[in-house]
Amino acid sequence: MSESAMQNEFINEPKSVYLKDYQVPAYLIDKVDLEFDLNEDHTLVKSYLRVRHNRLSASKVKDLVLNGVELVLESIKINGNLLSNAQFQVTDQWLMVHNVPDNFDLEITTRIYPQKNTALSGLYRSTNTYCTQCEAEGFRRITYFVDRPDILSCYTVKIAAEESRFPYLLSNGNLIDSGKLENGKHWVKWEDPFKKPCYLFALVAGDFDVIEDKFITQSNREIKLLIYVEKGYGSQAYHAMYALKEAMRWDEKAYGREYDLDTYMIVAIGDFNMGAMENKGLNIFNTKYVLAKPEIATDTDYMHILSVIGHEYFHNWSGNRVTCRDWFQLSLKEGLTIFRDQTFSEDILSRAVMRIQEVNGLREVQFSEDAGPLAHAVRPDSYIEINNFYTSTIYNKGAEILRMLQTILGKAMFRKGMDLYFARHDGQAVTIEDYIKAMEDVSGADLRQFRLWYSQAGTPVLHVEEDYDAEQKIYRLIINQHTPSTSGQSIKKPLYIPIRMGFFDEQGNEIPLQINNEPVENEKVLHLTAASQIFQFDNVLVRPVPSLLRHFSAPVKLNFAYSDDDLKFLFKHDKDSFNRWEAGQKYTLRMFMNLIQDYRHHRPLHLPYELVEMYEYILRHDTSDDFLLAEMLSLPSEHYIGEQMETIDIDAIHAVREFVVTEIAKQLQKLFLETYYQNHDSSETYQFNIQAIGKRQLKNRCLTYLMLLPEYADVGMQQFESSLEKNMTDTQSALVGLANIDSPLREKALNRFYTVWKHDALVVDKWFAIQAASKLSDMLREVKKLMQHEAFDIKNPNKVYSLIGTFGQRNLINFHADNGEGYAFLREVVNQLDKLNPQVASRMVKPLTTWKRYDNKRQQLMREQLELLLQDKKISKDLYELVIKSLGEG
């Protein structure tokens, strides 16, 4: 059956929503009073809505349409009068109330079943806790409502539940009243004085350990800080509290933003689709971004918690106080807040290393997204299911756009623009145009061309050529930009691209720059605005080595004919730490491509000594920044190498990369071992600071290389045993190495790890992920076996992400086995997930959607699995959209 025939077979084919069709809401809801009666087998929800006709609406329709999914309507009243069946109409998606007045009070009672809610959207039960997730469209699963972000309302919320089981009843805003009820129940009432969209509504009911602290704002207000975690886990919440206070302090200093309520609450939940949710005053987090102590969390976990805690706090202004008019503007809050949390992490930790990690993620995920069938603009023109657009393009590319804007305007002017944006639009639901207009108004800049970044999909490619006139002492850079065509966008316009750059002489000294014979700073920003542009530099006495796109000043691909010597020179001498790392990556990538050609032609593989010499040089000379040095020693991933190829050659990439890392380990083993022991002290107490993190990262990078050689397996086992129950960073690093060795030590370590940590869900997630990523053969059989393990629960997103997600996205050689068994396995799991949790299913299917990038045999095998998914007439619209678009039918 063809894709089009299958599409026609799809019952109630999902419809696209278009940006061009936006209309202001016909009715506004100024006040929302909610009452929840939480019972064991159901929950009763009463909503009291103050509704009025929107004078800005041109609609003459007198019917009010409210969204509602999986709700049981008990009653509906207008101005206290019960409506007859003739006065309204109900479907499985909406409630229509006929012939409503211009101003009225609407009272609706619904019955819902949180304990049956496996989608984890709306109100649901996570073990013994009630919680909500309303972004993007979960509120319609709680009560009938006009579920769109431009409906801003003031909320009061009353919650009643059994006190012994649910002593904590939480919602947005400030607690204003409480009391006791019959039958062992109690109630509380919360009031949020700030208008908000319904996607920011939150409710939590349960029993917790509570960590309490306070923060004194810049205006000397005392804010109560509360973190709620599962009973017995209170000791793991102190790092999250530290992160919160650092974020509050940083936002006051960097943006002048002060917290506005009296209390700030965080709740950690084990069953959560996302990382965290910024509900006003009551953030709900996935436990993995709250819980940490040295024996169960790695350095990476600690850093992620710092970032995500900051991200959700920063949303209080960039997302809550000023929100988005419609979901097409999603990057207005997410891209901006990602940029804010990235710069926060750079300031607290390491500007260089955080930037390297940000760019690695962008290139491996977002660049791949831009190059595939699911490519979309930062502000897309349409969608079928909005949950599918919580993507790296919306978040990370959106953040890069803001970083470019700051580079173009300068930090001081950018800050003034942010101040005006918050002041002008406080309490409003706005658009990307509103944001850019604030920047134009403070700076006087014309940003019309810059706005194309929001509407044009794809990753721009810069082709740069140089021309040096030794006689005239003139150096020119000729830069051409081109953005490849993407689905629905074959013609691309030139973008406004800022390029940070500098020059070096042969001794590694920066060359002073002159343009039009006028001196400029040693680091210059070139403003590329045309398809082709020439930049001339005067009085350049020798041919310089250019350092281009410093600190990755734009999300582009840069092609410049650097010689091998130029790249080695920049790797050793560039003053921009990111570009030092980048030079090493470019050199190594070039070497990989040459070796892949040798592998394809069955020629023997030889590792260039120059690469070994580069690594030896930095190990001996770069002793001031261990954290950066650890990153400098990293090689491009298999995924990123594949992204450089027209047709991804899984087998060649894996064979060549394994050869390279093993040869580096052999040739530098003495130096790796020396560096390892210089930084290893098993008795050292864990500390979270940049110096201690750097030592651990460098030590464990050396261990990763050493454990590729059989004679060092015992070193890894010793670190595993000495760090177990004390330092998860060291434990996990050793266990990853052991999991990739076909040795009795592997099984011994994995069994020991599980025995010690089987009662800690987050640590068990690591155990699943380490095995799922193992490059040993026959790992698909192991993954299938692990799905039957007592600790695996397909209804828990973290378990799915750690086992299935890791196998499909990080274990390329096993997932892409040319017998197609990995593809069939993923399709079966996705089918199962789609019946339980469509959001998770649509995330897990992503590895199949890039099928066109592989060889003909794999293409056919992957395509077959996508077609089988589409044959399911009950496929969710989340999954349907990704499958149909990846097959080229959407």
Side-chain angles (χ1 to χ4, degrees), residues 468-674:
Y468 179 58
D469 187 329
E471 183 176 337
Q472 298 293 323
K473 308 301 181 187
I474 292 173
Y475 182 85
R476 298 181 182 89
L477 287 173
I478 304 95
I479 307 180
N480 297 283
Q481 64 164 296
H482 166 71
T483 303
S485 63
T486 55
S487 178
Q489 285 187 350
S490 57
I491 299 174
K492 307 288 186 177
K493 296 179 180 179
L495 295 164
Y496 189 159
I497 303 174
I499 304 168
R500 289 190 182 276
M501 53 80 65
F503 289 157
F504 289 94
D505 64 20
E506 294 176 346
Q507 286 73 44
N509 301 311
E510 290 208 62
I511 299 175
L513 304 179
Q514 291 187 25
I515 297 178
N516 298 325
N517 292 311
E518 293 293 329
V520 297
E521 295 180 7
N522 285 354
E523 181 175 85
K524 170 70 177 172
V525 177
L526 306 180
H527 297 263
L528 178 66
T529 56
S532 182
Q533 207 163 332
I534 298 174
F535 298 91
Q536 179 173 305
F537 302 88
D538 305 312
N539 298 317
V540 182
L541 302 182
V542 295
R543 181 259 179 194
V545 178
S547 173
L548 302 174
L549 207 67
R550 285 180 150 187
H551 208 60
F552 202 68
S553 59
V556 301
K557 296 180 180 179
L558 176 70
N559 293 327
F560 180 79
Y562 283 114
S563 68
D564 287 352
D565 287 341
D566 286 342
L567 292 174
K568 289 184 288 183
F569 173 87
L570 290 171
F571 182 73
K572 294 178 181 178
H573 299 295
D574 202 327
K575 302 302 187 292
D576 182 274
S577 296
F578 175 86
N579 269 23
R580 283 193 68 202
W581 170 84
E582 176 77 325
Q585 296 293 293
K586 285 181 178 294
Y587 179 84
T588 308
L589 200 58
R590 183 179 294 176
M591 175 209 63
F592 273 124
M593 292 308 176
N594 292 335
L595 289 173
I596 285 170
Q597 288 303 313
D598 291 340
Y599 178 87
R600 286 172 164 173
H601 291 91
H602 307 290
R603 295 191 289 260
L605 301 181
H606 299 287
L607 183 69
Y609 172 74
E610 289 81 2
L611 179 64
V612 177
E613 188 274 332
M614 285 168 58
Y615 281 7
E616 183 177 7
Y617 176 88
I618 60 173
L619 277 166
R620 295 194 184 280
H621 295 89
D622 278 33
T623 57
S624 61
D625 189 340
D626 291 341
F627 200 9
L628 177 60
L629 177 55
E631 288 294 335
M632 298 281 285
L633 291 169
S634 65
L635 293 172
S637 68
E638 290 185 12
H639 185 96
Y640 185 60
I641 296 169
E643 286 304 310
Q644 315 310 307
M645 306 174 73
E646 189 72 26
T647 300
I648 298 173
D649 189 336
I650 290 291
D651 302 303
I653 291 169
H654 180 71
V656 167
R657 193 177 188 282
E658 290 297 297
F659 164 77
V660 170
V661 293
T662 304
E663 281 299 305
I664 292 173
K666 288 178 181 177
Q667 297 189 39
L668 291 178
Q669 57 182 298
K670 183 178 179 181
L671 189 52
F672 281 140
L673 192 63
E674 177 184 313

Side-chain angles (χ1 to χ4, degrees), residues 259-274:
Y259 186 62
D260 45 14
L261 292 168
D262 298 330
T263 305
Y264 191 92
M265 298 176 286
I266 290 173
V267 181
I269 299 295
D271 297 296
F272 202 70
N273 285 338
M274 299 183 175

